[in-house]
Amino acid sequence: MPESIRNDQSPAGANFPRDRSWHPPAFTPWYKTSVPRSPKQALISLDGTVSEITGPVFGHNMLGELDNDLVRNFAKPGESPIGQRIIVHGRVLDENGRGVAGALVEFWQANAGGRYRHKKETYLAPLDPNFGGCGRTITAEDGFYSFRTIKPGPYPWPNGVNDWRPAHIHFSVFGHSFSQRLITQMYFEGDPLIWQCPIVKTIPSREAIESLIAPLDMANTIPMDARAYKFDIVLRGRRSTLFENRMEGN
Amino acid sequence: MVQSLGLLKETPSQTAGPYVHIGCVPNFSGIEGVYPEDLGRGMVNARTRGERITVTGRVIDGTGTPLRDVLVEIWQADAMGLYNSPMETRGQADPEFTGWGRCPGDMTSGEFRFETIKPGAVPYPDGRIQAPHITFWIVARGINIGLHTRMYFPDEEAANAADPLLSRIEHKIRVPTLIAKSSGGGAYVFDIHLQGDNETIFLDI
Ligand SMILES: [Fe+2]
């Protein structure tokens, strides 16, 4: 990198440190599976090196035409899944508020009855022959993404005797750096199950939980067709490297 | 009052859950015909430069049981130590090597397997050299936020001894948790322990 001072964001800056008090801790005994799966030792801090600052990219050309349309990507020709038709849209941003372009976003969910299409799934609600439950897209220049699906149902799960997951969509997101890698879940405005869910309650603060609840977005609803929910995703920001000393060639 | 920094908060993590396969490796989970193949299966092809290696292992919980619903991703430099990423500013990486792999644990044994190449060394920000390593990221049911760690190579003793991360770990007894075992012929085994006496070092990166 040349010695001259740059006013733009250097691509070599490390991410802001993760606020571990904002994220769920590893050990959350009310979510029982976390008990044997939570590391007990302190994490070793490592400011981002080139191994963490870099990350894989995925080209738009890898996407199939129906990858972001869960209503159609598994359905038989001329058929549709049962359920409430919705559009989920938003932007992938970083903590500096900049849109993250070219971010691969993958999503998966249960069907309208709360049943997943998976070998290990045993809930008695039926599969929908027209619903697979997976989709993906890549963000535009401004970080925008959208997909169409049906609203997933809540479902019971073995934890407490009577625990139910609120309706939710799982998200996996890539940024530009591998250290930005994130998996999370989106919830729906107004669902009373959110505040009873042991997995939701792994997140310490109400404010952080609320950042996972997508509001109903009537302005972007398609009349007589599908309601819209808006879900922005924030990945870690990157610091500027303006005054950092770097050896030639780094 | 002072001016606001105007920073947003990172979206909080939630567990990947037991059905992470549906979204990340749908063909593996039995959902066929939506994507032509699962992402991250193939890292190398016949034209990729470098020494072919395989990395296998399991992610093991605090009772000694392998996780059979885990998803493991790796990220590594090419044979020359360059990353195939737009964020790489030092040169052009081997275009025939993605550097990124994704593998679900086997639903019976829990084993993951990557066919890749041995990465070259890459610099630390202060100019020292980091020993060849592979970044691991682990998600599963019961893991509330993805776990980052690194795998180093057992046949790189001198480089490992000089590695800026390995050499500053206070509890030296834990360093071997980051070093794979060689089973010969370019095959490496890297078991990851979530808890217990051999708890793997996880990184806050
Ligand atoms: Fe779920």
Side-chain angles (χ1 to χ4, degrees):
Chain A
M1 185 148 300
E3 287 291 305
S4 60
I5 290 184
R6 301 164 50 120
N7 286 324
D8 58 337
Q9 176 88 356
S10 163
N15 287 119
F16 298 156
R18 215 161 214 162
D19 181 353
R20 295 272 169 182
S21 68
W22 175 257
H23 286 284
F27 180 69
T28 48
W30 55 96
Y31 173 26
K32 293 181 181 179
T33 314
S34 76
V35 174
R37 294 185 172 195
S38 43
K40 294 288 176 282
Q41 302 295 332
L43 304 178
I44 303 289
S45 298
L46 175 66
D47 193 24
T49 76
V50 67
S51 302
E52 290 74 39
I53 293 166
T54 55
V57 285
F58 304 93
H60 288 264
N61 58 0
M62 118 191 162
L63 297 175
E65 197 186 338
L66 299 180
D67 280 7
N68 70 340
D69 188 355
L70 284 71
V71 170
R72 287 176 62 207
N73 71 9
F74 194 82
K76 298 185 186 75
E79 297 186 19
S80 294
I82 301 285
Q84 304 174 23
R85 297 157 65 85
I86 61 169
I87 307 242
V88 177
H89 71 105
R91 290 175 74 203
V92 177
L93 306 160
D94 70 14
E95 288 171 292
N96 289 308
R98 279 185 279 257
V100 179
L104 174 65
V105 184
E106 299 164 294
F107 18 88
W108 65 100
Q109 62 167 89
N111 69 22
R115 171 76 185 264
Y116 282 97
R117 184 173 287 279
H118 191 280
K119 290 169 185 166
K120 296 258 179 96
E121 158 74 295
T122 56
Y123 181 34
L124 50 78
L127 284 170
D128 183 330
N130 290 308
F131 192 71
C134 64
R136 62 186 177 185
T137 189
I138 294 176
T139 57
E141 278 303 307
D142 57 359
F144 183 81
Y145 77 92
S146 67
F147 61 95
R148 182 168 74 161
T149 186
I150 52 100
K151 192 176 178 192
Y155 58 85
W157 59 296
N159 185 61
V161 170
N162 187 28
D163 282 332
W164 290 70
R165 295 303 324 279
H168 62 277
I169 300 177
H170 297 263
F171 280 74
S172 162
V173 190
F174 289 79
H176 295 166
S177 302
F178 198 61
S179 48
Q180 290 176 301
R181 198 77 182 79
L182 182 73
I183 279 185
T184 190
Q185 303 180 28
M186 179 198 109
Y187 303 100
F188 292 85
E189 178 182 7
D191 187 342
L193 289 170
I194 293 170
W195 305 104
Q196 302 188 36
C197 174
I199 288 176
V200 172
K201 287 188 206 174
T202 62
I203 299 173
S205 75
R206 185 177 180 99
E207 186 188 1
I209 292 170
E210 286 173 341
S211 74
L212 294 181
I213 305 175
L216 175 64
D217 178 4
M218 285 303 284
N220 281 295
T221 282
I222 305 173
M224 307 304 286
D225 184 341
R227 284 170 303 144
Y229 284 87
K230 180 169 177 287
F231 186 56
D232 287 340
I233 298 163
V234 181
L235 303 179
R236 297 166 69 181
R238 233 171 43 229
R239 61 173 194 261
S240 157
T241 56
L242 278 183
F243 297 106
E244 289 187 33
N245 288 320
R246 281 174 191 272
M247 305 268 293
E248 189 74 24
N250 283 356
Chain B
M1 290 291 280
V2 298
Q3 292 185 9
S4 165
L5 289 171
L7 295 177
L8 304 176
K9 292 296 285 184
E10 188 186 9
T11 296
S13 173
Q14 289 270 262
T15 179
Y19 307 128
V20 61
H21 312 110
I22 295 174
C24 294
V25 283
N27 291 284
F28 173 83
S29 77
I31 299 176
E32 285 160 6
V34 179
Y35 308 151
E37 63 172 7
D38 290 334
L39 216 53
R41 272 179 61 90
M43 300 177 68
V44 295
N45 63 44
R47 295 179 300 279
T48 305
R49 294 191 292 269
E51 177 194 345
R52 298 304 194 269
I53 63 169
T54 62
V55 178
T56 59
R58 297 167 302 162
V59 180
I60 298 162
D61 76 13
T63 75
T65 307
L67 272 59
R68 292 168 300 178
D69 50 12
V70 73
L71 184 79
V72 179
E73 291 184 0
I74 63 172
W75 174 241
Q76 66 166 94
D78 70 7
M80 302 302 292
L82 293 168
Y83 284 93
N84 190 345
S85 166
M87 301 291 284
E88 173 62 86
T89 57
R90 299 168 300 142
Q92 171 66 51
D94 181 355
E96 305 293 345
F97 181 62
T98 66
W100 176 76
R102 171 187 272 173
C103 186
D106 182 85
M107 285 193 195
T108 304
S109 69
E111 187 175 87
F112 59 79
R113 177 185 183 85
F114 295 99
E115 295 182 8
T116 180
I117 51 131
K118 186 167 176 187
V122 300
Y124 198 63
D126 65 6
R128 285 181 290 165
I129 300 300
Q130 304 189 75
H133 61 271
I134 298 177
T135 294
F136 274 67
W137 188 68
I138 298 134
V139 292
R141 176 174 66 102
I143 295 177
N144 288 327
I145 180 166
L147 298 169
H148 284 272
T149 187
R150 281 184 176 185
M151 182 196 112
Y152 287 83
F153 290 83
D155 37 15
E156 292 281 354
E157 275 182 47
N160 289 345
D163 181 82
L165 172 66
L166 294 181
S167 61
R168 75 168 165 83
I169 289 170
E170 178 187 356
H171 300 100
K172 297 293 177 211
I173 194 171
R174 300 190 64 206
V175 170
T177 69
L178 297 183
I179 301 175
K181 292 183 171 53
S182 171
S183 48
Y188 295 92
V189 178
F190 186 54
D191 284 336
I192 294 161
H193 294 266
L194 299 178
Q195 294 177 0
D197 290 345
N198 295 317
E199 182 179 313
T200 299
I201 291 175
F202 296 103
L203 302 172
D204 189 11
I205 62 172

